[in-house]
Amino acid sequence: MTKKKAKKTTKKDKSGSDIKPLINNKLVQSAKSVVQFFRDERTKLLLAFLLVFFSALLVLAFCSYLFTWEADQSKLDERRFSYIFDNSITVDNWAGKTGAVLANMFMHDWFGISSFGLVFLLVVYSFKLIKIEILPMAKTLRYTIVAMIWTSITMGYLFGNAYFILGGSHGYFLSSWLVAVIGSAGTTFVLLLGIFAFILFTNENAFTRFRLMIRALVTRTKRAKQKAVTPETKSVTDEELKDSFEEAELKKKNTKTDKTTNTQEYIIRDDGSTEIVDLGFEVDNRKTEEEEIANTTQSEIGGDNETTPEVSRYAPIEGIGVFSLDGKEYASEKLVLNVTRNKELSIDDVDPSMLEDYDPTADLSNYKYPSPDLLENHKVADSEVTSEELKNNKDKIVETLSNFKIEILKIKAMIGPTITLYEIVPAPGIRISKIRNLEDDIALSLAALGIRIIAPMPGRGTIGIEVPNQKPEIVSMRSVISSLKFQNTKYELPLALGKTISNETYVVDLAKMPHLLVAGATGQGKSVGLNAILASLLYKKHPSQIKFILVDPKKVELTLYERIERHYLAMLPDAEEAIITDNQKVIHTLASLNIEMDNRYSLLKAAHVRNIKEYNAKFIARKLNPYKGHKYMPYLILVIDEFADLIMTAGKEVELPIARLAQLARAVGIHLIVATQRPSTNIITGVIKANFPTRLAFKVASMIDSRTILDSPGANQLIGRGDMLITQGSDLVRLQCAFIDTPELEKITKYISGQQGYPTAFILPEHEQEEGDGIASVDLSKRDALFDDAARVIVMSQQGSTSLIQRKLSVGYNRAGRIIDQLEAAGIVGAFEGSKARQVLYPDEYSLEQFLNTLNK
């Protein structure tokens, strides 16, 4: 029986009705293979590329349709897709016939310009295929479709049939239906309600924020009608505390919190209005969330409950971005009032890194830099070097060298604003010194002054011959300031000095120099060069970032900068004028700068930084506590227009503090620019030269002066009128200094002075004269043996000077100096007055003898 049943079973398997399960299994397996194919990462990547390509095609078609739809519309009205394969028909759409069909379907028949939303969806989905989720796909799909529908209807309502493609058929007919049903006003209201609802549903916190905004507006209106609020204490109402709690809960949803929670603060403004803000730092030992909710609920039930915290108003401090904690000032942008608990905050609770960066320009936030339009374009017509001039000079150079049996293989020219550089390649075996010795012969053949031979050219393997142009070009300051090189420079203290031989703007960083020594004979452009340096810094630096100490013994060169005293200048506390013209005040200013330098080094040491750039970056980032003496440091630039006069009148009293500043002041942002028209060894001493690696030389009288300033000849061969050489410790670079005229400087200073400035100039530290200095240490009981004779000589000649005592009494300078100090202490001569002779206080010998008899008793 068992065998028969088995046979029957086998027969059933072979019947036609029993084949269906097998077919179903094959279909399932096929479906699984298809699903597996589309789940393959390679397939998804390929599909993503296809979607991106299709998106790009749609963008091209849609953009083209905006311009070509009228030309292609007649061809699309009836034939639709059938004309794609008709080669006799052409379209103007950038994406071809396919693009024309797709654009017409989406933009004309459907949603108009909002069809670009479809491209956005395709791009988002293509990134999702490769597991890069830019936005949540489901939510993005819903919001995008709603936005497309709303935009289509709005465009159809606003532009109607005039610009049909902006809203499409969908937008046009729906907007027309709405206008017919509820009118234009009703349609406008519906559209506005739609965008409001869209914002409300797309932003989870929009409703809470909207309600808080309305409540804050109502609260401010009520407070505006009340009396002025007393500055000592103020209670927080139940409604305000509830708003503060809701605002805190709202921020908890948007940010992740630790065990400590951000303190919610209340601002009470001078007009009585209030505003809830986040202090920006954290306080430990906060109440738990349950306690906060309980306290808040209790305060809402009873506003006069004892648990309601009180707001303690911290005293506002004059100045921008300062509030007071524990009786001390602290940097911030808001006046802070703690409303979350009764405990007042101390400075130790503050994390400066959580505050906004300090802005040193905030005091003069509306300051505007001068415009290049204030400068003139001094370009001279017909100043270009002609091809004929180049050819003649080349021929004369080759001819002159050939006369001395020097063969030239190659010669080329590089035209500059005032000179042209001819580079020659001599034949093998020619000695360079032989060419260098022909400098005067080449100048004679070219009938030109200022010929300079550079043998060899550094890094080029050629010999350079610099020849002045017949019609030199004036390099205007405007062209230099407007250049991209200066505008885009990242230098701390950029100086736009002029243009090189290759007509490139030459920009250097004073912060890296770090000091500049300028020399040149009278009338060769030295003062113009100083003005160009100062103008460069005025065009690039904010008044809070840089201050100038200007020393002008001539009393006429730097007076134009008096107008910007409250913006850019620095001065001593008791000084009447910011620009220093008295040599005695120069000594005090240098001593004050040395004090400032020492103070800054102390701050750098406390901040654990090495230079002013690191220090200011740390201070701006709120990592330095202003209560510990830290402050933002502006760069200090000392400019001395005539150094020789200071050395002649003050000598070591000026040289030593300048040498100390030059040695040490670089790291703390104090830089020196020293100019002189007498670059002799007794003026520019070895101590000065050693600490001024960057030197700028205009035309000087002799080769000795050139060697003094540059350590090499060349400055004596310049042609003047702004032609200069600069060295930064290595090679010499020849420049044409930028020209800025006095009227241009007046426009710049007038423009700056017309803006809001600081109350006073930047005040330098006060210099107190030590007891051992000057006449205070003179002991008249230990007078010199020649004291009486010197007094008689001074009174007889009515001229109080050390040199007169040297000549008349045949004594050395040191002894004569001690005698003149004793005469000043005795009241016979007046105080030191710089280059002037001291005033003689006794009119005749008779009165002097009476005084000496009294003094000798």
Side-chain angles (χ1 to χ4, degrees):
M1 292 295 292
T2 306
K3 293 181 179 179
K4 290 182 179 180
K5 288 182 180 179
K7 288 181 180 180
K8 289 181 180 180
T9 304
T10 304
K11 288 180 181 179
K12 286 183 179 180
D13 290 342
K14 293 181 179 179
S15 63
S17 60
D18 293 332
I19 296 177
K20 290 182 180 179
L22 296 175
I23 295 175
N24 291 336
N25 290 335
K26 289 182 179 180
L27 290 175
V28 171
Q29 291 178 357
S30 300
K32 286 183 178 180
S33 62
V34 172
V35 173
Q36 187 66 29
F37 172 77
F38 281 102
R39 286 182 176 178
D40 192 350
E41 297 295 334
R42 294 170 294 181
T43 305
K44 291 182 178 180
L45 180 61
L46 179 61
L47 184 59
F49 276 114
L50 289 175
L51 288 177
V52 170
F53 171 75
F54 184 63
S55 302
L57 181 67
L58 287 179
V59 170
L60 186 64
F62 291 170
C63 292
S64 175
Y65 189 76
L66 295 174
F67 306 101
T68 63
W69 70 276
E70 292 180 336
D72 296 340
Q73 188 66 32
S74 59
K75 305 170 186 177
L76 297 170
D77 285 341
E78 298 179 357
R79 305 188 61 180
R80 295 289 177 178
F81 291 96
S82 61
Y83 89 116
I84 293 178
F85 304 101
D86 190 348
N87 294 331
S88 62
I89 300 176
T90 59
V91 294
D92 294 337
N93 194 285
W94 301 337
K97 297 177 182 179
T98 304
V101 172
L102 292 173
N104 182 76
M105 181 175 63
F106 284 108
M107 300 191 70
H108 184 275
D109 298 342
W110 290 1
F111 299 106
I113 198 171
S114 61
S115 299
F116 280 96
L118 177 63
V119 178
F120 173 70
L121 288 175
L122 291 175
V123 172
V124 172
Y125 184 67
S126 64
F127 277 94
K128 182 177 177 60
L129 287 175
I130 57 177
K131 298 182 179 180
I132 300 177
E133 189 172 13
I134 302 177
L135 295 169
M137 191 63 211
K139 186 182 292 186
T140 304
L141 180 63
R142 293 196 303 269
Y143 292 160
T144 305
I145 291 176
V146 172
M148 289 173 61
I149 295 173
W150 183 88
T151 305
S152 175
I153 297 174
T154 304
M155 290 296 175
Y157 171 67
L158 293 177
F159 298 101
N161 200 25
Y163 297 96
F164 189 82
I165 61 172
L166 295 180
S169 298
H170 168 270
Y172 176 74
F173 289 114
L174 276 182
S175 62
S176 300
W177 178 77
L178 283 174
V179 171
V181 174
I182 58 177
S184 298
T187 304
T188 303
F189 175 78
V190 168
L191 293 175
L192 292 176
L193 183 63
I195 188 63
F196 178 76
F198 180 79
I199 296 174
L200 201 62
F201 283 98
T202 54
N203 190 343
E204 296 178 358
N205 302 320
F207 176 74
T208 305
R209 291 184 182 277
F210 178 74
R211 191 173 63 81
L212 288 175
M213 182 179 66
I214 297 299
R215 180 168 291 180
L217 182 62
V218 173
T219 303
R220 290 174 184 174
T221 305
K222 290 180 180 179
R223 288 189 178 277
K225 296 179 181 179
Q226 295 174 355
K227 295 182 179 181
V229 181
T230 56
E232 290 79 12
T233 60
K234 177 175 284 294
S235 298
V236 182
T237 64
D238 301 337
E239 187 178 35
E240 292 165 353
L241 189 59
K242 180 180 179 181
D243 290 348
S244 177
F245 176 75
E246 290 177 351
E247 184 77 8
E249 291 298 312
L250 185 61
K251 291 190 175 182
K252 286 178 181 178
K253 294 180 181 179
N254 298 330
T255 57
K256 297 180 180 179
T257 58
D258 271 329
K259 294 181 180 179
T260 60
T261 59
N262 288 339
T263 306
Q264 298 302 317
E265 305 303 330
Y266 219 82
I267 296 179
I268 299 180
R269 303 189 183 280
D270 294 336
D271 60 356
S273 61
T274 60
E275 183 178 350
I276 302 167
V277 296
D278 185 16
L279 177 59
F281 56 83
E282 298 180 348
V283 180
D284 294 333
N285 302 321
R286 288 291 186 189
K287 298 180 181 179
T288 63
E289 183 176 350
E290 291 78 7
E291 291 174 340
E292 291 288 345
I293 294 173
N295 289 343
T296 304
T297 306
Q298 187 175 2
S299 67
E300 288 179 351
I301 295 173
D304 297 329
N305 196 290
E306 295 179 358
T307 59
T308 303
E310 289 190 353
V311 180
S312 58
R313 174 162 182 160
Y314 300 116
I317 306 300
E318 184 177 356
I320 293 179
V322 177
F323 67 83
S324 177
L325 292 175
D326 292 345
K328 301 178 181 178
E329 298 179 19
Y330 197 78
S332 177
E333 296 299 329
K334 303 177 179 69
L335 178 62
V336 179
L337 302 174
N338 184 7
V339 299
T340 59
R341 58 188 305 181
N342 290 319
K343 174 180 178 290
E344 292 190 2
L345 302 177
S346 66
I347 193 61
D348 297 330
D349 296 321
V350 178
D351 180 8
S353 63
M354 300 298 292
L355 299 174
E356 296 179 0
D357 286 349
Y358 173 75
D359 183 10
T361 65
D363 289 347
L364 300 181
S365 58
N366 296 325
Y367 176 80
K368 295 182 179 179
Y369 292 92
S371 169
D373 295 335
L374 299 174
L375 302 172
E376 301 292 337
N377 190 356
H378 297 283
K379 188 173 182 179
V380 180
D382 300 331
S383 61
E384 295 183 358
V385 178
T386 62
S387 57
E388 182 181 357
E389 181 182 348
L390 289 176
K391 186 177 182 302
N392 290 336
N393 287 341
K394 286 182 179 180
D395 293 342
K396 289 179 181 179
I397 290 173
V398 173
E399 181 182 355
T400 303
L401 294 176
S402 62
N403 290 338
F404 291 91
K405 299 180 180 181
I406 297 175
E407 183 181 356
I408 301 301
L409 298 179
K410 183 180 178 182
I411 182 171
K412 62 179 181 179
M414 182 182 295
I415 302 173
T418 56
I419 64 170
T420 300
L421 175 64
Y422 296 88
E423 291 188 58
I424 61 174
V425 179
I430 301 298
R431 297 173 64 89
I432 294 179
S433 59
K434 191 175 182 180
I435 299 177
R436 190 186 292 115
N437 293 333
L438 296 177
E439 188 173 295
D440 295 336
D441 298 282
I442 296 175
L444 178 63
S445 65
L446 295 176
L449 297 175
I451 299 292
R452 193 169 76 101
I453 294 180
I454 309 172
M457 292 285 292
R460 296 191 186 182
T462 60
I463 296 175
I465 301 176
E466 295 175 347
V467 180
N469 299 333
Q470 293 180 359
K471 296 179 180 179
E473 176 186 352
I474 297 178
V475 177
S476 63
M477 194 67 194
R478 178 170 183 167
S479 64
V480 175
I481 293 293
S482 303
S483 65
L484 292 177
K485 188 172 184 180
F486 180 76
Q487 293 292 333
N488 300 331
T489 182
K490 302 298 182 182
Y491 291 156
E492 284 293 311
L493 300 173
L495 305 181
L497 297 179
K499 290 189 176 182
T500 63
I501 296 175
S502 57
N503 265 318
E504 296 180 359
T505 302
Y506 190 81
V507 182
V508 291
D509 190 2
L510 179 61
K512 294 180 180 179
M513 286 185 177
H515 311 293
L516 179 61
L517 184 61
V518 183
T522 304
Q524 302 304 320
K526 178 169 50 61
S527 296
V528 174
L530 287 179
N531 288 329
I533 291 171
L534 295 175
S536 300
L537 296 173
L538 292 178
Y539 267 90
K540 266 294 182 182
K541 305 304 289 185
H542 190 271
S544 64
Q545 299 171 336
I546 190 171
K547 301 296 178 182
F548 298 106
I549 302 100
L550 303 181
V551 178
D552 184 16
K554 297 180 183 178
K555 303 181 181 181
V556 293
E557 295 292 346
L558 302 176
T559 53
L560 291 173
Y561 299 97
E562 285 180 341
R563 294 179 177 176
I564 59 174
E565 173 183 323
R566 294 186 298 110
H567 296 80
Y568 282 102
L569 300 190
M571 60 189 296
L572 292 173
D574 56 347
E576 298 178 359
E577 298 178 352
I579 298 178
I580 305 165
T581 57
D582 187 356
N583 290 350
Q584 188 64 33
K585 292 182 179 179
V586 175
I587 299 173
H588 296 162
T589 302
L590 293 175
S592 177
L593 278 176
N594 276 272
I595 296 173
E596 175 72 13
M597 179 184 68
D598 295 335
N599 293 341
R600 289 190 172 197
Y601 266 114
S602 299
L603 293 177
L604 261 64
K605 178 183 177 182
H608 303 289
V609 294
R610 297 174 58 188
N611 53 56
I612 185 175
K613 187 176 181 180
E614 296 176 3
Y615 179 89
N616 283 340
K618 209 168 182 179
F619 187 84
I620 290 174
R622 307 280 191 182
K623 295 180 180 179
L624 299 176
N625 194 335
Y627 306 134
K628 296 181 180 179
H630 292 291
K631 58 184 178 180
Y632 181 82
M633 295 183 189
Y635 286 94
L636 298 179
I637 313 297
L638 173 63
V639 181
I640 301 177
D641 185 44
E642 186 45 68
F643 185 61
D645 184 64
L646 296 180
I647 291 294
M648 291 175 61
T649 55
K652 297 294 182 181
E653 291 181 282
V654 169
E655 181 181 356
L656 294 181
I658 285 182
R660 187 169 184 266
L661 288 172
Q663 290 171 349
L664 302 174
R666 169 185 182 176
V668 292
I670 301 177
H671 302 276
L672 281 62
I673 301 175
V674 177
T676 180
Q677 62 182 1
R678 292 182 56 191
S680 54
T681 54
N682 62 328
I683 302 298
I684 304 177
T685 62
V687 176
I688 297 296
K689 286 179 63 176
N691 295 289
F692 283 79
T694 304
R695 303 167 201 163
L696 194 154
F698 293 88
K699 182 177 176 59
V700 294
S702 64
M703 184 183 296
I704 296 176
D705 290 344
S706 178
R707 290 186 182 276
T708 301
I709 181 68
L710 298 176
D711 292 328
S712 65
N716 57 308
Q717 298 169 318
L718 300 175
I719 61 175
R721 297 180 62 83
D723 190 17
M724 63 183 183
L725 292 170
I726 184 172
T727 175
Q728 291 185 276
S730 55
D731 300 328
L732 291 175
V733 179
R734 191 166 184 175
L735 305 173
Q736 177 62 36
C737 181
F739 178 72
I740 180 169
D741 205 359
T742 301
E744 297 173 75
L745 280 176
E746 290 180 349
K747 291 180 182 178
I748 295 173
T749 55
K750 186 176 180 180
Y751 177 82
I752 295 174
S753 62
Q755 302 184 57
Q756 178 188 359
Y758 294 100
T760 62
F762 183 84
I763 302 301
L764 297 173
E766 185 174 0
H767 168 61
E768 297 181 359
Q769 191 175 20
E770 299 179 2
E771 293 183 359
D773 293 343
I775 63 172
S777 61
V778 174
D779 186 2
L780 291 180
S781 62
K782 300 179 180 180
R783 300 189 301 275
D784 192 278
L786 297 177
F787 176 84
D788 293 354
D789 295 336
R792 295 185 182 98
V793 169
I794 293 296
V795 172
M796 288 177 62
S797 62
Q798 287 295 305
Q799 181 182 358
S801 67
T802 306
S803 58
L804 179 65
I805 296 176
Q806 285 183 268
R807 294 195 309 272
K808 295 295 185 180
L809 303 180
S810 301
V811 296
Y813 179 82
N814 293 335
R815 186 178 181 184
R818 288 194 297 270
I819 293 175
I820 203 73
D821 288 340
Q822 293 173 1
L823 292 174
E824 180 184 356
I828 298 175
V829 296
F832 175 74
E833 297 182 9
S835 58
K836 295 181 181 180
R838 293 173 183 258
Q839 182 182 2
V840 181
L841 303 179
Y842 282 84
D844 51 43
E845 295 180 62
Y846 177 74
S847 58
L848 174 65
E849 291 297 336
Q850 287 183 328
F851 173 75
L852 292 178
N853 291 334
T854 304
L855 188 63
N856 292 329
K857 288 182 180 180

